[in-house]
Amino acid sequence: MCDDVQSGTSCRWNTAAVVLTIFSSTASIFGAVCIFILYGFCPKTRTSSRTLLLYLTMADFGTAIGNIMGSIWSNMNVGKRICTNGSNSTVSGVSLCVVQSLITTMANMCSFLWTTTIAMYFFLTVVKQKNWDLNAKLFNIAVHSICWGVPGVIVIVALSLEKLGPGAQTAGAAWCWINTCDDNTINTDDIIWLWISGLGWVMMAYLVPAVLYMVLRYYAWRLSKRVQKSPLELSAKEKMKRFYENDRNFLYVPLVLYLLRIWGTIRYFLGIVGVDINCTLTHLLVVANAYGDSGQAFWNFMLFIVWVKPMREELLQILKNPWQRWLCRKTSADACAPILNSNTLSCSETGYETSLETS
């Protein structure tokens, strides 16, 4: 295995990982803020699917903030071995590391759960033809209890057991996760916590959405065949048509997740199995991991705003005159008419549900 943590080469790679983490996290914070602004200013975007996207973005926003904190911590410890002689005594800013681990561990688990929830939403509403009412009180409480509450309980237990902090698996990376420094190696207990606090959830987010979206694709193909034989299937076909017009970009969410997150998963399995790989490849995986784990909010912004023309132009209109648009959402439609009429692609005019052509 690569063991050049204190070398000049490793320090340069560590700097690259820190820089990429900060760049990717900053881009994600910008993308998340744009999603928040559009959701707040444009009521027509507040569909169930876009509300779920908002919750996913909130989790990814937390990941980006935490990873910037992790970059600061990593920069404080450039050239140091994270675990030496079974203690954290040589590591600076352990408290910052623990706080960052708490934030990113919870945010990542929430992100994986919301990604899975979005896939389940489309499976149930499109394939199973079930109503998913996010405004139903009990249902809303159940979904939020799972997607926010379960990660919250896990990180509180991990914090109380002193399981969050610097560890062997963070050497050369730009953030903290599970504290494995007590015995300077990753033992069975550490592996269990790595799975409970992240890896198990990310594997779920890899597999469940992929399967459900493949079922959705298959359902669309079967439906197109059945409609030719039975007019009774027309209502289902209309629902599928609306899905492809309004929400088809959600089909790419698992692909974005794979491309961004797979590098950290590869690093973990290579480390656990003990595969001996070249140092350059090890460092490349660290750099890809540093960019990918921080980048999901930015790429969701690209996917759902930049590549969707009405949403892109609506955001630009809001950013050009945010104060007037804020007043508009607080006042009557008549008072807003001059503002809305000046924007030919305003979601307030055209209606989100019928205007999602990408370009």
Side-chain angles (χ1 to χ4, degrees):
M1 296 295 289
C2 182
D3 189 25
D4 62 349
V5 175
Q6 292 179 314
S7 72
T9 300
S10 182
C11 286
R12 287 193 294 272
W13 281 104
N14 186 80
T15 300
V18 168
V19 169
L20 270 178
T21 299
I22 294 174
F23 172 78
S24 181
S25 297
T26 303
S28 283
I29 290 170
F30 169 78
V33 169
C34 288
I35 291 173
F36 298 153
I37 289 173
L38 189 58
Y39 188 88
F41 280 85
C42 188
K44 289 290 185 178
T45 64
R46 297 173 198 163
T47 62
S48 294
S49 59
R50 296 287 162 144
T51 300
L52 291 172
L53 174 64
L54 179 76
Y55 299 143
L56 172 62
T57 303
M58 291 169 63
D60 293 331
F61 180 82
T63 298
I65 293 293
N67 283 349
I68 287 179
M69 295 172 61
S71 298
I72 296 171
W73 173 82
S74 182
N75 195 55
M76 293 167 58
N77 292 281
V78 172
K80 296 180 181 179
R81 290 187 181 275
I82 303 304
C83 297
T84 304
N85 297 325
S87 72
N88 295 336
S89 59
T90 63
V91 178
S92 303
V94 174
S95 296
L96 175 63
C97 175
V98 171
V99 172
Q100 175 262 297
S101 177
L102 186 148
I103 293 172
T104 52
T105 300
M106 177 165 177
N108 283 330
M109 286 190 287
C110 292
S111 178
F112 302 144
L113 282 166
W114 282 116
T115 299
T116 305
T117 300
I118 290 171
M120 293 176 63
Y121 165 78
F122 287 116
F123 174 77
L124 291 174
T125 56
V126 178
V127 178
K128 294 297 184 180
Q129 304 288 307
K130 303 290 185 182
N131 290 325
W132 184 313
D133 185 5
L134 289 177
N135 294 318
K137 187 175 181 180
L138 291 177
F139 181 78
N140 209 24
I141 291 173
V143 172
H144 284 279
S145 296
I146 294 171
C147 293
W148 301 115
V150 172
V153 170
I154 291 173
V155 295
I156 289 172
V157 172
L159 183 65
S160 66
L161 296 177
E162 298 184 349
K163 287 296 180 180
L164 302 178
Q169 85 281 355
T170 61
W175 54 81
C176 301
W177 186 9
I178 295 299
N179 178 9
T180 60
C181 286
D182 289 341
D183 50 11
N184 204 26
T185 186
I186 299 179
N187 56 37
T188 302
D189 185 58
D190 296 328
I191 292 174
I192 291 172
W193 272 103
L194 288 169
W195 277 87
I196 291 175
S197 64
L199 285 167
W201 303 106
V202 74
M203 295 304 292
M204 176 190 70
Y206 287 159
L207 297 175
V208 176
V211 171
L212 294 180
Y213 284 133
M214 282 191 291
V215 171
L216 184 60
R217 291 280 193 179
Y218 176 73
Y219 172 78
W221 176 78
R222 288 288 304 273
L223 185 62
S224 64
K225 298 294 184 182
R226 293 204 307 266
V227 166
Q228 298 173 3
K229 300 178 182 180
S230 173
L232 297 177
E233 299 285 355
L234 286 176
S235 61
K237 183 181 180 182
E238 284 299 314
K239 180 169 283 193
M240 179 62 70
K241 181 181 178 182
R242 287 196 300 271
F243 166 76
Y244 275 106
E245 288 176 348
N246 300 341
D247 296 314
R248 63 183 178 272
N249 282 2
F250 280 96
L251 293 172
Y252 301 109
V253 169
L255 178 62
V256 170
L257 180 72
Y258 299 148
L259 293 176
L260 293 177
R261 296 278 188 170
I262 194 66
W263 316 109
T265 307
I266 292 172
R267 282 186 65 210
Y268 165 77
F269 282 110
L270 288 177
I272 292 299
V273 175
V275 176
D276 190 10
I277 59 174
N278 140 332
C279 281
T280 300
L281 180 56
T282 298
H283 292 312
L284 285 172
L285 286 172
V286 170
V287 168
N289 190 190
Y291 175 83
D293 276 23
S294 309
Q296 191 164 351
F298 173 74
W299 286 104
N300 284 341
F301 161 71
M302 295 293 291
L303 193 60
F304 294 102
I305 295 182
V306 174
W307 292 338
V308 179
K309 186 176 180 180
M311 296 296 99
R312 180 177 69 241
E313 301 217 359
E314 177 69 16
L315 178 64
L316 290 175
Q317 290 293 328
I318 292 170
L319 295 178
K320 284 178 183 177
N321 206 335
W323 178 243
Q324 278 190 314
R325 295 306 295 269
W326 178 259
L327 291 177
C328 172
R329 69 188 292 276
K330 293 287 188 179
T331 57
S332 66
D334 291 339
C336 295
I339 301 172
L340 298 182
N341 289 338
S342 67
N343 177 16
T344 58
L345 283 171
S346 170
C347 63
S348 304
E349 270 189 297
T350 60
Y352 166 74
E353 290 84 356
T354 59
S355 305
L356 279 183
E357 293 300 323
T358 57
S359 67

